[in-house]
Amino acid sequence: MIEGIVPKALKEVIEEISQLPGYGEKSAQRFAGNLLTMPRGEALQLVDTLKQMLEKIHPCKECGLYTEEELCPVCKDESRDRQTICVVEESFDAFTIERTGKYKGLYHILGGRLSPLEGITAEDLNIDRLVERVESQPIKEVILATNPTVEGEATASYLYNLLADKGITISRIAYGLPFGAVLENADDFTIAKALEHKFKM
Ligand SMILES: [Zn+2]
């Protein structure tokens, strides 16, 4: 970047976006550049939509799924199987599983995965609430559906050890995917199969 002639307001945006996980300076520049190239009305509409999302969306107080209400539609739905909890890393993983229409239980969103390299420990994740739910509700099975990555596997093992003495069945989702793939990118069929072939840990 030619430091001297980049307008201050643009530089600030690029700096802030490049702080986001998965964004470097190049992708931040592209994002800012695209916004500036769009018709100004559309760009402002996009910014307004983002602002509304930030004001309205928060984690469900029960399971952590992103929702606009206090409780998400899954937690509110009395017809769901309330004895099974599927544990995922992010809300988007639950949205993906839900799209298959094959899963009728509850969810629990960890808000990430254990990652010593990134300094993410058990305290940073929504784990205490999971243990509380298992202990205080008539839960019979917990399905660990963290991603089949090194961190996802480590997180599943950690949770298994934590829940092993709670008198419940603990399953790990089976993957018809190469190790290292992520749930969010899998097709519906693969995810439906993975749930079908989950195995007891
Ligand atoms: Zn919920």
Side-chain angles (χ1 to χ4, degrees):
M1 194 187 290
I2 311 155
E3 284 295 331
I5 60 166
V6 181
K8 184 168 166 282
L10 175 57
K11 208 169 132 188
E12 282 173 1
V13 167
I14 293 170
E15 275 170 10
E16 286 194 32
I17 295 176
S18 43
Q19 301 304 312
L20 295 172
Y23 284 81
E25 191 176 296
K26 281 272 178 276
S27 43
Q29 278 184 37
R30 212 159 38 238
F31 184 80
N34 285 340
L35 277 179
L36 289 171
T37 320
M38 281 167 80
R40 204 44 56 99
E42 283 176 32
L44 287 169
Q45 177 61 49
L46 171 61
V47 172
D48 191 50
T49 306
L50 287 172
K51 187 166 170 280
Q52 284 190 40
M53 176 190 77
L54 292 173
E55 284 167 358
K56 286 182 185 164
I57 306 291
H58 54 262
C60 167
K61 74 167 185 167
E62 179 68 9
C63 72
L65 191 71
Y66 286 142
T67 178
E68 292 188 10
E69 318 268 330
E70 197 175 27
L71 282 177
C72 73
V74 176
C75 287
K76 270 200 280 196
D77 185 350
E78 289 297 330
S79 73
R80 304 217 32 145
D81 166 13
R82 308 190 79 82
Q83 300 186 324
T84 307
I85 295 180
C86 179
V87 180
V88 292
E89 294 179 19
E90 306 286 355
S91 284
F92 293 97
D93 298 327
F95 297 153
T96 307
I97 291 173
E98 197 62 14
R99 206 177 57 210
T100 69
K102 299 282 184 198
Y103 178 70
K104 300 295 177 203
L106 305 174
Y107 290 102
H108 190 86
I109 320 299
L110 295 172
R113 64 265 176 285
L114 295 176
S115 175
L117 283 178
E118 292 166 84
I120 301 170
T121 65
E123 288 76 52
D124 299 314
L125 303 178
N126 187 20
I127 290 178
D128 289 351
R129 180 74 192 128
L130 173 65
V131 177
E132 251 176 59
R133 290 179 77 190
V134 168
E135 287 174 344
S136 65
Q137 295 169 18
I139 304 300
K140 286 196 172 148
E141 180 176 12
V142 167
I143 304 167
L144 301 173
T146 52
N147 285 312
T149 56
V150 174
E151 291 91 352
E153 291 296 341
T155 308
S157 300
Y158 179 86
L159 294 176
Y160 176 81
N161 290 327
L162 208 60
L163 300 171
D165 64 349
K166 306 286 182 207
I168 52 164
T169 301
I170 306 170
S171 313
R172 177 81 173 112
I173 195 171
Y175 281 90
L177 288 170
F179 186 80
V182 290
L183 203 58
E184 202 189 322
N185 298 333
D187 61 277
D188 291 5
F189 179 79
T190 305
I191 290 170
K193 280 286 153 205
L195 270 170
E196 206 176 297
H197 297 295
K198 68 188 159 61
F199 55 91
K200 195 173 174 297
M201 283 182 80

